[in-house]
Amino acid sequence: MTINTIIQLVLYLGTLVVLAKPLGIYMAGVYEGQFVGPSKVLGPVERLFYRICGISADKEMDWKTYATAVLMFSAFGFVSVYLLERIQGSLPLNPQQFSAVSPDSSFNTAVSFVTNTNWQGYGGEGTMSYLTQMAGLTVQNFVSAATGMAVLAALIRGFKRNASATIGNFWVDLTRSVLYILLPLSLIYSFLLVSQGVVQTFSEYTDVFLTQTIRYDKLPPDSSDNSAMDTRGKPAAIDEEVRAQIIPLGPAASQIAIKQLGTNGGGFFNANSAHPFENPTPLSNFLELLAILLIPAALCATFGKMTGDMRQGRALLAAMLIVFTLMSLFCIGSEQRGNPRFSALGIDQTAGGLHPGGNMEGKETRFGVANSALWATATTAASNGSVNSMHDSFTPLGGLIPLLLIQLGEVIFGGVGSGLYGMLIFAILTVFIAGLMVGRTPEYLGKKIETFEMKMTAIVILIVNSLVAIGTAVAVSTPAGVAGIANPGPHGFSEILYAFSSAANNNGSAFAGLGANTVFYNTALGIAMFLGRFWVIIPVLAVAGSLARKKHVPAGLGTLPTHTPLFVIFLIGVVLIVGALTFLPSLALGPIAEHLMTGK
């Protein structure tokens, strides 16, 4: 581990922690209806929106009505994005005249953006028009993130309220999440990114002349033409020259701001945040990396503020930071050690045991190993899914970390809202196990955890893990599934395992070697994304409704304090044990087996 790496990690985490508390307290005020800061200016806009839509802001919902609203809104978003993709060829703001997206790819993309997954089986600059990118994908970047934040707010109210039948109003929570939190932050970030060279324009793609002509051999388009045969009777290659290159443009900065802040991760360009028009400088890289974890970290402070005990939020944030830091150090260290295969080629890997430069395959030189590995850790910890390097090119153990972080349930920071409500589900499981140890009904934040809550907790944890296992098993045992593998052996298995882990946990990143833009994968991964999102949201809201109806009970001698270092360690242990029991066998067949095959 180099000094430069340590400095960058400390600077990143230090900045994150400093910003998390004030932003978290502000968000708590937003959800509690305390109009401060931008809320004073935007309050009339909010009230006008309610009048136009016929929303009664004072009318609260029980958990079933709240869940129905979430599902109806998401269904409307799915249909809108799907139709927009299917008819984009006939719509304006399409300077490249892109045709309609195929039905299976449209289905996959619509589900992906509605579920805050942003899995992309297509190249953005070669598939989606400006209108589709803005009116379809960017809008969903806002509202899918706001949906997760709204569900979290409802769950927090479940802990806070006493003998209440309601948990808030989804339409109010959704509107305030977008209007007071996501829009102002995205506006600030858009200006910062444009200042670093991120493109924001409606101009057509442009041609530029190359300073050096590129020559290559190309097979003729019509191999039946005998004049195009070589002496062996095979098609003869044609000498081609490339003198110009098409430079893709578009309104990228505005989408990139919300893609990072909302833990969406969908790239405007195919190369995502490795593309110089999305992430051109080390400063833009730092800003985007900070945005990935900013709101998930700040929501821990929001939780503490809304429950009236900031120590509770600090305990959850501490658990996330400990796991994240350890995973980051391991991933960075694995990449900095370089590729052990180099030794077999006679390449010196001395210099303190580190290969000079480390494993730079699939990484941008302007970022280097440390920033690439740190991004890979953050984007998979936070359910973001954007990449500034190709995870498929990581060393086996370096690639193991992003995969493992996804499989832990996206609760180490996780998506905006969804990460924290997932971690709270694990906290409920932790106090339940503690209650079994002392023979007492478990309690969390003054609410008894009983049979119903544990049934819903089991559903949340098991459904996603089952989707990963079943989806991977089907893919590796069917011709359509294995047809997409670009690499044989354990690495090919890792590509499929990563794809279903990413889809079911709503992450969206991928081992890039898997050809997933097929009818099989577009359909299978789309189903996994849908069930992984809404089969978690519904039981979480059911828990919120159940807890809200209960009365607070005073803490007793057998109550486990949930703000202490002991609880933090206990919580981390439960998260890691559940992940290990579920996925260690599959990890042994993938990245672990691949690592053993390298000889080190």
Side-chain angles (χ1 to χ4, degrees), residues 550-598:
K550 295 184 178 183
K551 295 182 178 180
H552 283 98
V553 295
L557 294 176
T559 302
L560 173 68
T562 54
H563 61 272
T564 62
L566 175 62
F567 178 76
V568 171
I569 295 172
F570 201 177
L571 176 59
I572 293 173
V574 170
V575 172
L576 294 178
I577 289 172
V578 170
L581 290 175
T582 307
F583 293 110
L584 188 57
S586 59
L587 293 174
L589 294 174
I592 296 175
E594 186 180 2
H595 172 72
L596 295 176
M597 290 171 63
T598 64

Side-chain angles (χ1 to χ4, degrees), residues 439-482:
R440 175 186 170 93
T441 302
E443 305 163 14
Y444 188 50
L445 300 182
K447 295 296 182 76
K448 287 188 177 295
I449 306 302
E450 297 175 308
T451 303
F452 181 79
E453 289 78 27
M454 289 315 303
K455 287 180 179 179
M456 296 300 103
T457 295
I459 291 174
V460 170
I461 294 174
L462 293 178
I463 186 62
V464 176
N465 294 345
S466 298
L467 289 170
V468 175
I470 294 172
T472 303
V474 171
V476 299
S477 59
T478 58
V482 298

Side-chain angles (χ1 to χ4, degrees), residues 513-537:
L514 182 68
N517 194 14
T518 64
V519 174
F520 171 80
Y521 278 111
N522 281 333
T523 304
L525 295 175
I527 293 172
M529 287 185 280
F530 176 84
L531 297 179
R533 175 74 162 182
F534 297 110
W535 278 22
V536 169
I537 283 180

Side-chain angles (χ1 to χ4, degrees), residues 172-443:
V172 173
D173 292 336
L174 178 78
T175 302
R176 290 178 176 174
S177 296
V178 173
L179 191 61
Y180 298 141
I181 301 171
L182 296 176
L183 269 176
L185 285 174
S186 296
L187 184 62
I188 294 171
Y189 252 88
S190 295
F191 281 114
L192 291 174
L193 293 178
V194 168
S195 74
Q196 292 303 298
V198 179
V199 297
Q200 181 73 15
T201 178
F202 290 107
S203 300
E204 297 182 12
Y205 293 4
T206 185
D207 292 334
V208 297
F209 289 101
L210 302 178
T211 58
Q212 182 176 354
T213 301
I214 299 176
R215 304 177 67 94
Y216 68 98
D217 291 335
K218 178 182 178 181
L219 289 178
D222 185 8
S223 60
S224 63
D225 184 358
N226 293 331
S227 63
M229 295 293 179
D230 61 18
T231 56
R232 296 173 296 174
K234 295 183 179 180
I238 301 174
D239 186 28
E240 287 282 338
E241 289 187 354
V242 177
R243 300 178 182 272
Q245 179 179 351
I246 299 176
I247 302 298
L249 301 171
S254 55
Q255 178 167 321
I256 293 161
I258 185 58
K259 93 167 186 181
Q260 306 297 35
L261 288 165
T263 60
N264 298 283
F268 192 93
F269 302 106
N270 190 33
N272 208 283
S273 291
H275 197 288
F277 286 178
E278 283 203 26
N279 188 11
T281 68
L283 179 56
S284 70
N285 189 76
F286 180 82
L287 291 172
E288 292 184 30
L289 188 57
L290 182 64
I292 291 175
L293 297 187
L294 181 59
I295 294 180
L299 284 171
C300 293
T302 301
F303 174 72
K305 179 67 174 177
M306 291 182 68
T307 57
D309 187 353
M310 292 297 293
R311 299 174 301 174
Q312 303 294 336
R314 286 196 294 268
L316 296 177
L317 180 60
M320 295 176 182
L321 284 172
I322 290 172
V323 177
F324 177 79
T325 302
L326 294 176
M327 294 288 186
S328 297
L329 292 172
F330 189 90
C331 185
I332 294 171
S334 298
E335 293 305 295
Q336 286 184 333
R337 279 192 292 272
N339 191 334
R341 294 284 189 178
F342 287 161
S343 298
L345 300 175
I347 300 176
D348 182 23
Q349 293 197 99
T350 56
L354 296 177
H355 182 271
N359 175 33
M360 280 297 295
E361 181 186 349
K363 299 178 178 65
E364 296 294 306
T365 54
R366 68 185 184 277
F367 303 140
V369 170
N371 276 305
S372 299
L374 180 58
W375 186 297
T377 308
T379 194
T380 49
S383 186
N384 180 274
S386 66
V387 295
N388 73 347
S389 61
M390 296 301 103
H391 297 178
D392 195 48
S393 296
F394 277 35
T395 62
L397 293 185
L400 169 68
I401 296 303
L403 178 56
L404 179 60
L405 281 168
I406 295 173
Q407 292 175 338
L408 291 180
E410 295 289 19
V411 297
I412 307 304
F413 293 106
V416 289
S418 61
L420 187 52
Y421 66 62
M423 181 60 93
L424 288 172
I425 290 296
F426 272 99
I428 289 174
L429 177 61
T430 301
V431 297
F432 175 77
I433 295 173
L436 293 179
M437 290 180 174
V438 298
R440 175 186 170 93
T441 302
E443 305 163 14

